[in-house]
Amino acid sequence: MSITVVGSVAFDSIETPAGRRDRCLGGAATYFALAASFFTTVRVIAVVGEDFGRRQEAVFLARNIDIQGIEHAPGKSFFWEGSYLDNLNEAKTHNTELNVFGAFQPKIPDAYSDSEFLFLANIDPVLQRRVREAMPHARLVAGDTMNYWIKDHRPALLEVLKGLDLLLINDTEARMLAGNTNLVQAARAVLALGPRSLVVKHGEYGATLFHADTPAARGADLRAPAFPLDQVTDPTGAGDSFAGGFFGYLASQPELTPAVFRRAMFYGSVMGSFTVERFGTESLQQLTRQQIDDRFALFRELTHLD
Amino acid sequence: MSITVVGSVAFDSIETPAGRRDRCLGGAATYFALAASFFTTVRVIAVVGEDFGRRQEAVFLARNIDIQGIEHAPGKSFFWEGSYLDNLNEAKTHNTELNVFGAFQPKIPDAYSDSEFLFLANIDPVLQRRVREAMPHARLVAGDTMNYWIKDHRPALLEVLKGLDLLLINDTEARMLAGNTNLVQAARAVLALGPRSLVVKHGEYGATLFHADTPAARGADLRAPAFPLDQVTDPTGAGDSFAGGFFGYLASQPELTPAVFRRAMFYGSVMGSFTVERFGTESLQQLTRQQIDDRFALFRELTHLD
């Protein structure tokens, strides 16, 4: 099944203890699409400026990603500049230029309208909702969001949550959204807002999967640890790569059983782990499916008793 | 096989968002001994004051813990007062009174000298080393430490590490001891200081097991997630309970295979999860082995793909 993703395609300037990269290809939809492309066909809805050319297009095309939904507008692409010099777990933002993204009005190519899987990456919830309504054939809709929308655009975000099957957010966002510091209680409160399933990402410590029908005594459905890496070069895009691996694997399966969701969590962690090993999308551009499955097997060994 | 543990037996006054307890039984050796007692026989070396009476003794005796190594001295027992009002993951210390513990000179009863398993809980490394040297029959020696000894008593601590088979510390301590923020690199550096195995505890996110002979490509031997709890009442003693479950299970097994170490990690997490559900040692005092094994099974379900 093909996935349509709407979100940012951007340029990032990143500094980490391992070095610096200027204006490399980034954006949530980029990481998501590249990660998901190892599992299924992916279609992207985004807007870019005149600085996005053949070289950037080639990155998507090399992975057979459909980019007819990437609109080209006059001006410059979304730009983010940040560093992780003190703390690899938290980006320090130095500059954000919305540029063409500021007036983004998602346009959905007719060819995308049969997508049964839809991922609403972290953008204005008003736009997330509009895309969701324009994709009536989507039977599994997942989304991401961030602290800014949770704090300052709560009513619009709550409308989006009502229409989501799956929400993927991090600890801080889950706690903020629920107003509860206990993760299990926060997860239950978030699920009561609409999504049938919730993935809470814990950065270097893995992620937890909750379903609305998980028995209370069990707490969660699956807790997947992150891969312990001896080299973290650049954490940018780890969460979006997790989402791409997770949702991409779901979309590749004939049936969405609980076991499939559990394996999807592991594939999510695997894709996040590759992304942070190199700068920007460098890992995702060079990866093979064999490497992914090898790491999946190693990941199982690292977490299973026998 | 019986375990001998040396460490603090104390009184704690604890305040958390769930309430307050004054002068409840605490101390690293207490939590460790109670948790380990569900797996094997345990012997305690500690010092207490005149405030430690029959009621406190009864807690140990109810679990068949050998307390002839608990010395009674004139004065008061070690006392700690702390709160977790803002952050359940980090205690704020309000008061520490060493009392009789300030002049602690561990005395090892003759009856303990055949213990093959020795746990050196978090005390002055000079004392840890003295106990280790006085127990020549110990064939598996594990230890804990804390930031204070790492920072200000490093030479003495390094001597202890040389004689350890197993070190159990948390993320912050591992990073501080190694002077490296990457967990996998820090673990390798710590293992180079002596211990053949290292358990790094991640609080609510689980723990990672490293062996000196773990292949570099694998990063770690096992990453065990923590049990997701919808009620965390009091985190005091979670790490010591983990250590007790972990080491207690090891001591109960006829052979120390890699698979036994992996199951021990899960038992450690299980014991830590029970401790934090109630104040102080309340959970550990009322637990049954059946409850432990039921949670072990649930924990396996929560972490395994199939």
Side-chain angles (χ1 to χ4, degrees):
Chain A
M1 300 292 177
S2 72
I3 299 176
T4 292
V5 53
V6 58
S8 58
V9 170
F11 288 95
D12 293 339
S13 288
I14 301 162
E15 193 170 6
T16 84
R20 186 181 168 88
R21 289 292 184 281
D22 279 302
R23 296 189 57 75
C24 59
L25 181 62
T30 303
Y31 285 102
F32 178 93
L34 289 173
S37 72
F38 289 92
F39 303 92
T40 191
T41 55
V42 185
R43 300 153 165 180
V44 183
I45 300 169
V47 62
V48 293
E50 290 149 318
D51 46 2
F52 183 95
R54 291 285 158 96
R55 233 180 90 205
Q56 287 75 31
E57 279 187 5
V59 173
F60 292 86
L61 298 176
R63 297 274 342 128
N64 283 316
I65 297 166
D66 189 332
I67 55 170
Q68 59 177 300
I70 298 186
E71 179 193 348
H72 290 254
K76 289 172 79 177
S77 301
F78 183 88
F79 172 72
W80 177 79
E81 184 174 3
S83 66
Y84 304 82
L85 293 178
D86 296 330
N87 183 353
L88 271 173
N89 290 311
E90 203 180 327
K92 194 169 166 185
T93 293
H94 299 294
N95 190 14
T96 304
E97 297 170 10
L98 287 178
N99 298 327
V100 297
F101 205 75
F104 181 36
Q105 295 297 336
K107 292 173 194 65
I108 300 158
D110 289 342
Y112 285 17
S113 64
D114 63 348
S115 274
E116 294 191 8
F117 286 76
L118 174 63
F119 189 76
L120 310 168
N122 168 34
I123 53 171
D124 186 335
V126 170
L127 301 183
Q128 288 181 315
R129 191 179 173 195
R130 203 174 297 159
V131 172
R132 199 276 162 264
E133 285 172 354
M135 299 280 289
H137 296 293
R139 64 181 178 98
L140 196 75
V141 185
D144 187 7
T145 190
M146 69 183 288
N147 48 6
Y148 172 69
W149 309 114
I150 295 170
K151 264 195 301 198
D152 298 340
H153 294 73
R154 196 174 177 90
L157 179 62
L158 292 179
E159 282 305 311
V160 173
L161 294 181
K162 284 183 197 165
L164 282 192
D165 298 295
L166 239 169
L167 178 68
L168 290 100
I169 50 182
N170 69 29
D171 290 72
T172 312
E173 291 155 358
R175 289 175 164 134
M176 188 187 283
L177 185 53
N180 190 320
T181 56
N182 178 283
L183 188 69
V184 179
Q185 291 177 22
R188 265 186 226 135
V190 170
L191 289 169
L193 299 174
R196 285 185 293 125
S197 301
L198 170 69
V199 175
V200 182
K201 295 170 285 180
H202 314 307
E204 67 169 317
Y205 297 115
T208 307
L209 171 66
F210 299 91
H211 295 306
D213 57 3
T214 301
R218 182 162 172 160
D221 188 71
L222 180 84
R223 184 158 267 204
F227 195 87
L229 290 169
D230 73 347
Q231 184 62 50
V232 176
T233 299
D234 170 18
T236 311
D240 300 312
S241 302
F242 180 102
F246 178 82
F247 208 53
Y249 179 74
L250 287 184
S252 75
Q253 296 302 297
E255 215 186 330
L256 295 179
T257 63
V260 164
F261 267 89
R262 294 159 81 86
R263 282 199 295 275
M265 290 287 287
F266 274 54
Y267 276 112
S269 278
V270 164
M271 299 312 291
S273 78
F274 279 118
T275 288
V276 304
E277 285 183 305
R278 298 182 61 182
F279 273 101
T281 59
E282 287 171 15
S283 275
L284 293 179
Q285 288 187 45
Q286 307 203 352
L287 212 54
T288 65
R289 179 63 196 252
Q290 188 59 51
Q291 288 175 296
I292 293 168
D293 286 324
D294 287 350
R295 189 164 284 187
F296 183 95
L298 188 56
F299 199 50
R300 176 195 285 262
E301 266 183 53
L302 270 169
T303 52
H304 283 46
L305 287 174
D306 27 48
Chain B
M1 298 292 176
S2 72
I3 298 175
T4 290
V5 53
V6 57
S8 59
V9 171
F11 288 95
D12 292 338
S13 288
I14 302 162
E15 193 170 6
T16 83
R20 187 179 167 89
R21 289 292 184 283
D22 279 304
R23 297 189 56 77
C24 59
L25 181 63
T30 303
Y31 285 101
F32 177 93
L34 289 172
S37 72
F38 289 92
F39 302 92
T40 191
T41 55
V42 185
R43 300 155 165 177
V44 182
I45 300 170
V47 62
V48 295
E50 290 148 316
D51 47 3
F52 184 95
R54 292 285 157 96
R55 235 181 88 205
Q56 286 75 31
E57 280 187 6
V59 172
F60 291 87
L61 297 176
R63 297 273 344 127
N64 284 315
I65 296 166
D66 190 332
I67 55 172
Q68 59 177 302
I70 298 187
E71 179 193 349
H72 291 256
K76 290 171 78 177
S77 301
F78 183 87
F79 173 73
W80 177 78
E81 185 174 3
S83 66
Y84 304 84
L85 294 177
D86 296 330
N87 182 353
L88 271 173
N89 290 313
E90 203 181 324
K92 195 170 163 184
T93 293
H94 299 295
N95 190 14
T96 304
E97 297 171 10
L98 286 179
N99 298 325
V100 296
F101 205 76
F104 181 36
Q105 295 297 336
K107 293 172 192 66
I108 300 157
D110 288 341
Y112 287 15
S113 64
D114 64 347
S115 275
E116 294 191 8
F117 287 76
L118 174 63
F119 188 76
L120 310 169
N122 166 35
I123 53 172
D124 185 334
V126 171
L127 301 184
Q128 289 181 315
R129 191 179 172 195
R130 203 173 298 159
V131 172
R132 199 277 165 263
E133 285 172 354
M135 300 279 290
H137 296 293
R139 64 180 178 99
L140 196 75
V141 184
D144 187 6
T145 192
M146 68 183 288
N147 47 7
Y148 172 69
W149 309 116
I150 296 170
K151 265 195 304 197
D152 298 340
H153 293 74
R154 196 175 177 89
L157 179 61
L158 292 180
E159 281 305 310
V160 173
L161 294 181
K162 284 183 198 164
L164 282 192
D165 298 293
L166 239 168
L167 178 67
L168 291 99
I169 49 181
N170 69 30
D171 290 72
T172 313
E173 290 155 359
R175 289 174 165 133
M176 188 186 284
L177 184 54
N180 190 320
T181 57
N182 179 283
L183 188 68
V184 178
Q185 291 176 21
R188 263 185 230 137
V190 170
L191 289 168
L193 299 174
R196 285 185 293 125
S197 300
L198 169 70
V199 175
V200 182
K201 296 169 286 180
H202 314 307
E204 67 169 317
Y205 298 115
T208 308
L209 170 66
F210 300 89
H211 294 305
D213 57 3
T214 302
R218 182 164 174 157
D221 188 71
L222 180 83
R223 183 158 267 202
F227 195 87
L229 290 168
D230 73 347
Q231 184 62 51
V232 177
T233 299
D234 170 19
T236 311
D240 299 312
S241 303
F242 180 102
F246 179 82
F247 208 54
Y249 180 75
L250 288 184
S252 75
Q253 296 300 299
E255 215 187 330
L256 296 180
T257 63
V260 163
F261 268 90
R262 295 159 81 86
R263 283 199 294 276
M265 290 288 286
F266 274 54
Y267 276 113
S269 278
V270 164
M271 299 312 291
S273 78
F274 280 118
T275 288
V276 305
E277 284 184 304
R278 298 182 61 182
F279 273 102
T281 59
E282 288 172 16
S283 275
L284 293 180
Q285 288 187 45
Q286 307 204 350
L287 211 54
T288 65
R289 180 63 195 253
Q290 187 60 50
Q291 287 174 297
I292 293 169
D293 286 324
D294 287 350
R295 188 164 284 186
F296 184 95
L298 188 55
F299 198 51
R300 176 195 286 262
E301 267 183 52
L302 270 168
T303 51
H304 284 46
L305 287 174
D306 28 45

